[in-house]
Amino acid sequence: MKILLIGSGGREHALAWKLAQSPRCEKLFCAPGNPGIADVAQCVALSAHDEIIDFCQSNHIEFVVVGPEQPLVDGLGSTLRAQGIAVFGPDTAAAQMEGSKGFMKDFCKRHNIPTAAYARFTDVEKAKNYIREQGVPIVLKTDGLAGGKGVLLPQTIDEALSAIEEMLSGDAFGDAGTEVVIEEFMEGEELSYFALADGDTYLALTSAQDHKRVGDGDTGPNTGGMGAYSPAHFMTAELEQKILDKIIAPTVAGMKKDGTPFKGVLFAGLMVKEGEPRLIEYNIRFGDPECQPLMMRLNSDLVELLLATDIGTLNEVKAEWSNQSALCVVMAAKGYPAAYEKNTEIKNTQAVKAIEGAQLFHAGTAQEGDKLISIGGRVLGVVGMSDTIQSTQDIAYQAVDTIDWDGGFCRRDIGYRAIKAHQEKVV
């Protein structure tokens, strides 16, 4: 088949890399893509929905894989299906699961899915009174999409009151923050879990653990993700079954019952305490940087799996995984997640190919003549894969250290929780 992938980040490079390996993939296009994706797909300049439809029709595209959440929330899935084009990703109504935090929380309440206690607000004074009643720590979330930055964890009442004023005025996050969800602060260890859904049933995938804060030891401000590894070190068969029974299965059944059947990937951000999972939030696309280690570990044909979500045949396919660990280190531009440097030159990326078990995925890069330059906050995803989490981390950082980029930085401790847990078991 001829396949079109939508997106330009590290997640999309990982997806393109895996899609291109499928015997089903005759030709892969990516809109808009990036210099790394250009190694495995033909990059095309498309953005508007009508441009995408025209391109699909004139190039006989049979399957569209949508990488990021924004096009799905904007209705691209529904638009493509209306034209008879198979698509990986939910339609507009189901995309609210990520597009509106309020929708997601109300859904969980309705279908008894374990999550944090919450309230929704558009009025500043009512929100402030609720914060005073609840105390801190507390979690403030924009209702709409804010590029992974719409979650605040104020530690004092004054911080929380000031933040809520900025959010609801539209100053902090624009329209995304004109309604806010205020949540109970949940304690425990965070976990990412992925499952595919075809509207009727689900296919369990695997777990990962992300590292959101910018600095080593989980210090500094939240980011879109500074690295991830898979599988999560504390995942057990028992915990996975609880996630499937209490969270994934009721979600798929509930969306169907509500008349908004979900087709695509459910990325559950979870908090686990004393072996019990609770849902923090749902995303409707693969995580970035979680997707990079997931694609490294996936042994199955990605086209077959993703296509099954659209045509309703998930019960006929299997997802098989390597027993090895995979770990992604994000290299970001200096200054990120605040104002960061752009257009700095990145050299020696080809050296990563010589390292066994290493893979480089591009995110915020562009080609300027014969130079590779940085154009985003998170710029490269450097992945290692090996038998143990320690050797996996070693490979990833060996690859990081071959790259010559004065304008970049990374955390040096991705996977530290898993390594610590492994060392404690050995002792």
Side-chain angles (χ1 to χ4, degrees), residues 20-34:
Q21 294 170 23
S22 169
R24 296 287 304 274
C25 183
E26 176 194 334
K27 173 81 177 176
L28 181 62
F29 297 92
C30 187
N34 66 40

Side-chain angles (χ1 to χ4, degrees), residues 215-236:
D216 286 9
D218 293 321
T219 56
N222 266 340
T223 70
M226 293 302 293
Y229 71 94
S230 174
H233 72 91
F234 59 96
M235 178 56 81
T236 62

Side-chain angles (χ1 to χ4, degrees), residues 108-370:
C108 289
K109 189 176 182 181
R110 204 161 54 245
H111 295 284
N112 300 312
I113 294 166
T115 186
Y118 74 103
R120 301 173 66 174
F121 295 95
T122 53
D123 182 275
V124 174
E125 289 311 313
K126 286 179 181 174
K128 285 183 174 181
N129 289 337
Y130 183 79
I131 289 167
R132 292 185 188 103
E133 286 166 18
Q134 298 300 314
V136 290
I138 200 162
V139 183
L140 311 179
K141 294 182 176 180
T142 60
D143 178 71
L145 297 177
K149 299 182 180 70
V151 179
L152 302 179
L153 305 168
Q155 298 300 304
T156 69
I157 291 288
D158 285 347
E159 266 183 60
L161 297 178
S162 171
I164 206 75
E165 201 160 294
E166 281 189 33
M167 290 170 89
L168 285 173
S169 68
D171 288 349
F173 300 102
D175 290 344
T178 51
E179 181 174 338
V180 169
V181 175
I182 303 180
E183 288 185 2
E184 156 201 11
F185 177 81
M186 291 193 286
E187 292 182 340
E189 192 158 359
E190 283 195 46
L191 174 71
S192 299
Y193 191 83
F194 299 85
L196 298 178
D198 65 4
D200 287 305
T201 189
Y202 68 85
L203 177 70
L205 294 182
T206 190
S207 64
Q209 192 170 49
D210 189 11
H211 299 61
K212 282 287 183 206
R213 293 191 181 271
V214 74
D216 286 9
D218 293 321
T219 56
N222 266 340
T223 70
M226 293 302 293
Y229 71 94
S230 174
H233 72 91
F234 59 96
M235 178 56 81
T236 62
E238 183 187 12
L239 175 57
E240 183 169 38
Q241 201 56 54
K242 283 181 182 177
I243 293 166
L244 295 172
D245 292 345
K246 296 182 177 185
I247 295 168
I248 301 296
T251 298
V252 176
M255 290 294 275
K256 185 180 178 183
K257 185 181 177 185
D258 291 353
T260 53
F262 189 93
K263 294 184 172 193
V265 65
L266 285 167
F267 162 14
L270 305 166
M271 188 66 77
V272 181
K273 187 177 181 183
E274 295 169 0
E276 291 299 323
R278 295 168 82 192
L279 183 67
I280 302 169
E281 63 182 15
Y282 266 129
N283 295 306
I284 57 168
R285 35 72 191 180
F286 285 104
D288 187 350
E290 294 96 335
C291 188
Q292 291 87 313
L294 260 61
M295 291 304 107
M296 290 282 282
R297 290 187 57 228
L298 181 64
N299 287 335
S300 302
D301 185 327
L302 183 62
V303 174
E304 296 281 4
L305 296 182
L306 302 191
L307 192 59
T309 66
D310 189 66
I311 59 179
T313 55
L314 271 183
N315 57 354
E316 297 173 19
V317 296
K318 280 169 72 173
E320 294 179 355
W321 301 93
S322 166
N323 291 324
Q324 291 187 313
S325 298
L327 181 149
C328 177
V329 177
V330 169
M331 296 187 75
K334 284 179 180 172
Y336 177 81
Y340 53 82
E341 297 177 37
K342 287 185 181 176
N343 303 313
T344 57
E345 188 178 359
I346 306 163
K347 299 176 184 173
N348 210 38
T349 55
Q350 295 302 314
V352 173
K353 289 181 180 176
I355 300 169
E356 189 177 349
Q359 187 70 37
L360 179 67
F361 295 111
H362 289 236
T365 64
Q367 200 74 38
E368 199 175 75
D370 59 356

